[in-house]
Amino acid sequence: MSEPTGKYSITMPRDIAEAARSRSGPSGLSAYVAAAVARQIERDNLNELIQVAEAEHGPITDEEVQALRDQLHQARREQANGGAAA
């Protein structure tokens, strides 16, 4: 069962609306826009979490970000190799 929907009127630049319409596929423009808004809400929520974490623990350094990216890439390589260390 899907969530109840409502009908809204929005205003956006014509070129953006037409690009969205051309990419919306069979699900239609409304579904495309709803998915885009849902992604933006996720990003906003993540930014709020980052702000709270940085207020409590200080900002994360570029080195820490790179170390985490390296760990992620290593985990993906291991997963692709059936769990064996690469």
Side-chain angles (χ1 to χ4, degrees), residues 14-78:
R14 183 168 298 177
D15 60 334
I16 293 173
E18 290 307 316
R21 186 181 303 282
S22 71
R23 289 175 172 84
S24 63
S27 61
L29 182 60
S30 291
Y32 189 88
V33 171
V37 171
R39 280 191 305 275
Q40 185 61 48
I41 291 169
E42 289 173 355
R43 288 179 174 184
D44 293 345
N45 289 339
L46 286 172
N47 283 333
E48 290 172 7
L49 287 172
I50 290 168
Q51 289 174 355
V52 168
E54 286 184 341
E56 186 173 335
H57 304 288
I60 190 166
T61 66
D62 290 340
E63 293 79 17
E64 291 170 317
V65 170
Q66 188 58 49
L68 291 170
R69 284 185 176 141
D70 292 345
Q71 288 177 9
L72 177 61
H73 292 305
Q74 179 65 28
R76 287 180 176 162
R77 282 192 297 272
E78 290 175 7

